[in-house]
């Protein structure tokens, strides 16, 4: 499993000469912690504080509320469709881009990045222009009584568009780095296409893939801008969780708004935990590979 | 290769979850009894949330008693102009209940979904309730704000939303403008009198200068009325909020009356938020009867009572509870037809691209 670029630093073993004086280290750490506390921890704590201020019973009451439940369901449904689709697409795109040479490759990479580059509002408006009543396909959709925009399909489409690049972007550099020697070896040894994919390619990229899926999922659940444009804000129908939070807040229903927000925050925390776990596994894996393949040079420092 | 299985299990769970959620989703409004259950979508503007929450429940109950049919009314709220835009773009509203007639005219004109004569199809210009524009100030009125003239004093921060996107904001703007005309001309009938052309021109110039100074005192232009209210009450920005009367009362209730107080200016505009049936949608969906009944019910004693309870001035006040009707301060009101010759003219002169608002408002100054 060689071929990836590995970077490992062990600061405890750094020689005295390249270390910073103690006060610099303390100051830097203090500033970092203060910053983290002020800008990340405090808002997070305040969300849960506000959510639980009215008591646990009120907290759960505002979550069990029918409109809130629909919002949760819609968010899960959206992520549940968008993430697998983008997983398959991302894998296919990364595969094509990393293992094959063809004309227009650069353009394709740029196109994949497009959703990152445009503002989510524009992403939403694109779908209005395509599927809105006055849009390109609008009259045909109306004639056939099909609903895309201001309905669940629109929300899913907008989310898919926005989360499009996550998996592919995560995989492309890694697969390019890995090259196709292992696949070629597998083919030479008589493995078929599927077998090569399942037993050679996938194991090599699995952690990066999972990492991409996690990021993709986080964005799919949290997306506000694009979804806001295409949703139509119909309560109990096309409101996702982020939209529902805004609506509740605008209704002076702060406690309920923060309760739903805390649910979103919890999802984020779970995502972060999963991400950390994946990173930790990756590192553990690399460590294993390393000790098995090449002994770590004495003195630590950076190993490439 | 264990991790591969791991991954496929994860993917499978995700997809299975999606299917389960999908099955549970749209079938939420099921139920039997009477005729097939029906759903209405009411696309409305920002501050009517609480009003329609109560009205919808009352109407659903009444409709069920009368016809045995289950009706669920869905709500969508946002800035009035934005909502009209969404209906034009295909948001399937059975009824629209917006902040101003112009927005419904826009739907009628651009999408042909609403018949052009919609204003005459229901009583009182299709406005079952009215409202007006008042001020909210900080407790004790520290900046001494009592009338429109006080808003243009230096150092006063005025909070009002963007007239380009918010219906309420347009009413605010026109109320300020109309107040100057009223003050200068005494009688707004002079506006249509050719012999008074000189006086009218002077009054219009004064109004323009006044509104221009007023908007120099606005630190933030939010996109909707509710966002402005939040800016004023929650974020604590500004000395005075120009607000719908109903929104102002709601704020007083929310804040408990110990942080803000209400100021009623000497004269202000009569705002008529209209309602209309979206013909194109109800005919397609077969909901005309129930949607029509829904709108007519706004004029019923029950509808008028609910409107008054939510601080909208009922157009037939004798139907409302007397103690609710008594809460509305007496104030001299002028209409948009008196002061501006109707919405179409007002919109064209003041809020279209390159109109008066664009000329006088320069952001960041």
């Amino acid at each position: 499993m060689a071929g990836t670029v590995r970077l490992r630093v062990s600061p405890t073993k750094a020689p005295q000469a390249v270390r910073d004086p103690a006060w610099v280290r303390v100051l830097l750490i203090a500033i970092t912690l203060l910053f983290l506390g002020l800008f990340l921890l405090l808002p997070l704590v305040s969300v849960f504080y506000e959510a639980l201020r009215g008591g646990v019973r009120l907290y759960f009451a505002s979550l069990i509320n029918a409109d809130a439940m629909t919002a949760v369901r819609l968010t899960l449904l959206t992520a549940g469709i968008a993430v697998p689709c983008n997983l398959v697409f991302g894998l296919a795109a990364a595969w094509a881009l990393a293992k094959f040479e063809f004309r227009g490759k650069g353009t394709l990479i740029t196109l994949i990045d497009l959703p990152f580059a445009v503002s989510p509002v524009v992403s939403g408006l694109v779908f209005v222009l395509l599927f809105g009543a006055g849009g390109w396909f609008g009259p045909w959709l109306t004639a056939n009584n099909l609903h895309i925009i201001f309905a669940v399909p629109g929300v899913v489409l907008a989310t898919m568009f926005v989360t499009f690049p996550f998996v592919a972007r995560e995989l492309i550099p890694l697969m390019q780095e890995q090259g196709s020697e292992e696949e070629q070896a597998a083919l030479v040894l008589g493995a078929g296409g599927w077998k090569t994919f399942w037993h050679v390619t996938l194991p090599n990229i699995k952690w990066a893939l999972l990492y991409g899926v996690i990021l993709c999922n986080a964005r799919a659940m949290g997306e506000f801008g694009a979804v806001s444009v295409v949703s139509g804000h119909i309560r109990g129908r096309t409101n996702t969780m982020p939209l529902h939070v805004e609506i509740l807040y605008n209704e002076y229903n702060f406690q309920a708004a923060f309760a739903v927000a805390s649910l979103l925050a919890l999802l984020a925390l779970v995502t972060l935990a999963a991400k950390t776990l994946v990173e930790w596994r990756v590192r553990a894996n690399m460590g294993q590979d390393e000790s098995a393949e090449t002994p770590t040079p004495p003195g630590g420092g950076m190993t490439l | 290769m264990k991790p591969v299985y791991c991954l496929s299990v994860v993917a499978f769970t995700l997809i299975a979850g999606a299917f389960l959620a999908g099955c549970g989703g749209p079938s939420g409004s099921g139920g039997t009894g009477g005729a097939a259950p029906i759903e209405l979508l009411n696309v409305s503007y920002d501050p009517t949330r609480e009003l329609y929450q109560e009205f919808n429940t009352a109407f659903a109950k009444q409709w069920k008693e009368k016809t045995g049919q289950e009706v669920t009314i869905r709500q969508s709220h946002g800035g009035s102009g934005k909502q009209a835009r969404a209906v034009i773009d295909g948001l399937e509203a059975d009824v629209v209940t917006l902040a101003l007639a112009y927005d419904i005219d826009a739907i009628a004109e651009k999408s042909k979904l609403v018949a052009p004569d919609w204003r005459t199809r229901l009583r009182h210009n299709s406005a079952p309730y009215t409202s007006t524009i008042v001020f909210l100030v900080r407790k004790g009125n520290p900046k001494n704000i009592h009338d429109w003239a006080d808003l243009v004093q230096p150092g006063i921060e005025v909070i009002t939303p963007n007239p380009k996107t918010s219906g309420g904001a347009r009413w605010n703007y026109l109320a300020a403008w109309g107040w100057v005309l009223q003050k200068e001309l005494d009688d707004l009938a002079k506006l249509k009198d050719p012999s008074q052309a000189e006086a009218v021109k002077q009054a219009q110039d004064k109004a323009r200068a006044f509104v221009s100074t007023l908007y120099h005192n606005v630190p933030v232009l939010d996109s909707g009325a509710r966002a402005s209210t939040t800016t004023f009450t929650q974020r604590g920005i500004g000395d005075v909020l120009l607000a719908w009367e109903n929104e102002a009362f709601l704020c007083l209730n929310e804040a408990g009356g110990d942080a803000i107080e209400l100021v009623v200016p000497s004269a202000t505009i009569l705002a008529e938020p209209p309602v209309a049936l979206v013909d194109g949608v109800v005919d397609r969906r077969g909901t005309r009867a129930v949607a029509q009944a829904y709108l007519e019910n706004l004029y019923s004693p029950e509808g008028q009572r609910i409107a008054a309870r939510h601080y909208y001035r009922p157009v037939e006040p004798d139907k409302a509870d007397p103690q609710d009707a008594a809460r509305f301060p007496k104030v001299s009101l002028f209409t948009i037809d008196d002061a501006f010759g109707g919405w179409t003219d007002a919109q064209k002169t003041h809020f279209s691209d390159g109109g008066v608002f664009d000329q006088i408002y320069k952001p960041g100054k």
Side-chain angles (χ1 to χ4, degrees):
Chain A
M1 272 222 216
T4 37
V5 178
R6 290 169 198 143
L7 202 70
R8 216 161 49 147
V9 184
S10 40
T12 42
K13 287 179 188 165
Q16 193 63 44
V18 297
R19 279 174 155 189
D20 290 316
W23 68 270
V24 174
R25 271 180 289 155
V26 171
L27 187 71
L28 285 178
I29 291 171
I31 290 175
T32 313
L33 286 182
L34 190 75
F35 197 80
L36 278 179
L38 223 59
F39 286 92
L40 292 176
L41 214 56
L42 198 66
L44 196 64
V45 170
S46 77
V47 165
F48 285 96
Y49 173 78
E50 285 288 334
L52 289 166
R53 203 156 66 164
V56 179
R57 192 175 298 168
L58 200 60
Y59 177 78
F60 283 108
S62 38
L63 291 184
I64 290 169
N65 170 286
D67 288 342
M69 286 312 285
T70 326
V72 172
R73 263 208 302 265
L74 181 61
T75 298
L76 291 179
L77 172 76
T78 308
I81 296 174
V83 173
C85 285
N86 281 339
L87 177 129
V88 172
F89 162 78
L91 201 55
W95 176 283
L97 286 168
K99 312 275 178 185
F100 301 97
E101 284 303 323
F102 53 90
R103 199 188 275 250
K105 201 165 146 172
T107 321
L108 189 56
I109 295 186
T110 316
L111 271 180
I112 290 176
D113 275 343
L114 190 73
F116 273 165
V118 299
S119 156
V121 179
V122 178
S123 318
L125 281 177
V126 166
F127 289 102
V128 175
L129 287 178
L130 283 179
F131 302 117
W136 291 5
F137 305 111
W140 183 82
L141 289 169
T142 316
N144 289 282
N145 202 21
L146 291 172
H147 303 286
I148 291 196
I149 209 132
F150 305 122
V152 175
V155 173
V156 175
L157 272 178
T159 309
M160 272 174 74
F161 181 83
V162 172
T163 56
F164 203 65
F166 280 92
V167 175
R169 263 286 138 210
E170 207 56 47
L171 290 182
I172 291 168
L174 177 68
M175 287 174 93
Q176 272 175 339
E177 187 70 38
Q178 285 175 343
S180 49
E181 288 97 352
E182 291 188 29
E183 277 87 356
Q184 282 168 11
L187 290 173
V188 165
L189 291 172
W194 270 116
K195 203 165 185 184
T196 312
F197 174 74
W198 281 109
H199 293 281
V200 179
T201 310
L202 203 55
N204 272 343
I205 57 162
K206 59 180 184 274
W207 294 116
L209 184 64
L210 201 51
Y211 189 72
V213 165
I214 288 168
L215 287 183
C216 183
N217 184 54
R219 181 67 188 270
M221 288 186 168
E223 177 55 26
F224 179 86
V227 170
S228 173
V229 176
V230 296
S231 112
H233 303 270
I234 309 170
R235 283 182 144 233
R237 267 279 169 277
T238 60
N239 265 340
T240 60
M241 280 166 78
L243 299 183
H244 195 60
V245 170
E246 196 214 15
I247 285 188
L248 289 172
Y249 184 80
N250 278 341
E251 282 173 6
Y252 300 105
N253 205 340
F254 300 124
Q255 200 268 333
F258 280 107
V260 180
S262 76
L263 212 57
L264 265 178
L266 271 181
L267 283 174
L269 287 179
V270 170
T271 309
L272 275 184
K275 182 180 144 275
T276 315
L277 194 72
V278 168
E279 279 173 346
W280 176 73
R281 284 298 301 265
V282 173
R283 217 170 300 144
N285 259 25
M286 282 182 172
Q288 266 175 14
D289 292 352
E290 214 136 286
S291 50
E293 288 161 13
T294 49
T296 321
M302 282 157 68
T303 56
L304 264 181
Chain B
M1 280 285 153
K2 240 190 271 169
V4 177
Y5 291 128
C6 250
L7 200 67
S8 27
V9 168
V10 169
F12 177 77
T13 319
L14 270 173
I15 295 167
F19 270 104
L20 284 179
C23 298
S27 59
S29 64
T32 45
I38 199 165
E39 227 179 69
L40 284 187
L41 175 60
N42 175 2
V43 170
S44 193
Y45 64 112
D46 253 333
T48 57
R49 297 158 198 262
E50 293 78 11
L51 164 68
Y52 280 110
Q53 249 164 38
E54 189 177 346
F55 180 75
N56 290 347
T57 320
F59 175 75
K61 189 161 161 266
Q62 202 201 48
W63 185 256
K64 169 101 184 161
E65 276 165 13
K66 213 165 93 188
T67 64
Q69 189 180 33
E70 199 87 52
V71 57
T72 315
I73 298 117
R74 302 277 173 197
Q75 284 296 136
S76 168
H77 296 275
S80 187
K82 195 183 106 193
Q83 294 291 78
R85 182 73 244 177
V87 172
I88 293 168
D89 281 335
L91 181 57
E92 281 215 306
D94 297 281
V95 296
V96 283
T97 54
L98 295 178
L100 40 95
Y102 181 80
D103 287 329
I104 300 184
D105 281 337
I107 300 174
E109 186 190 324
K110 292 208 172 75
S111 72
K112 313 271 182 252
L113 289 174
V114 179
D117 68 338
W118 65 270
R119 271 199 100 169
T120 54
R121 291 195 298 192
L122 290 162
R123 292 199 296 280
H124 303 284
N125 292 329
S126 288
Y129 41 79
T130 66
S131 191
T132 181
I133 302 300
V134 295
F135 305 163
L136 274 182
V137 296
R138 307 275 170 213
K139 185 75 193 167
N141 201 352
K143 299 277 172 108
N144 245 332
I145 295 161
H146 299 287
D147 204 352
W148 290 100
D150 301 319
L151 302 184
V152 295
Q153 299 306 315
I156 300 285
E157 286 195 333
V158 183
I159 303 297
T160 174
N162 188 347
K164 290 279 188 177
T165 52
S166 155
R170 278 176 242 174
W171 287 113
N172 292 349
Y173 173 104
L174 295 175
W177 193 288
W179 173 79
V180 179
L181 294 185
Q182 174 104 315
K183 188 173 64 114
E184 296 295 320
L185 298 173
D186 281 330
D187 181 7
L188 290 174
K190 286 184 191 166
L191 286 168
K192 296 186 182 82
D193 183 353
S195 67
Q196 299 282 339
E198 193 51 35
V200 167
K201 193 182 174 300
Q202 273 178 15
Q204 295 284 17
D205 287 346
K206 279 202 171 142
R208 185 190 170 107
F210 177 82
V211 173
S212 173
T213 322
L214 179 89
Y215 275 88
H216 277 120
N217 280 351
V218 179
V220 265
L221 279 183
D222 288 297
S223 69
R226 199 42 82 80
S228 276
T229 311
T230 317
T231 297
F232 183 75
T233 55
Q234 302 298 319
R235 290 165 61 200
I237 296 176
D239 303 307
V240 52
L241 172 75
L242 309 188
W244 292 101
E245 184 178 50
N246 52 289
E247 188 81 353
F249 273 114
L250 197 63
C251 274
L252 285 179
N253 282 355
E254 289 294 326
D258 49 357
I260 45 178
E261 54 185 70
L262 185 77
V263 171
V264 181
S266 62
T268 181
I269 201 161
L270 174 73
E272 296 178 295
V275 301
L277 198 66
V278 186
D279 303 84
V281 174
V282 290
D283 288 342
R284 191 164 61 226
R285 297 190 60 227
T287 48
R288 181 175 277 275
V290 56
Q292 182 70 32
Y294 179 79
L295 291 184
E296 272 163 13
N297 206 46
L298 284 166
Y299 291 90
S300 73
E302 188 181 33
Q304 293 287 299
R305 229 180 2 255
I306 292 174
R309 200 177 308 144
H310 289 274
Y311 308 105
Y312 287 86
R313 294 180 181 229
V315 282
E316 285 155 19
D318 47 313
K319 289 178 179 167
D321 288 337
Q323 72 266 29
D324 284 344
R327 291 184 302 195
F328 300 109
K330 297 254 179 318
V331 54
S332 148
L333 294 168
F334 51 86
T335 69
I336 183 157
D337 295 328
D338 297 341
F340 301 93
W343 260 112
T344 314
D345 284 355
Q347 177 76 24
K348 205 167 85 198
T349 317
H350 293 278
F351 308 119
S352 58
D353 281 336
V356 177
F357 178 73
D358 280 345
Q359 293 162 28
I360 61 172
Y361 184 73
K362 296 184 184 62
K365 283 191 183 167

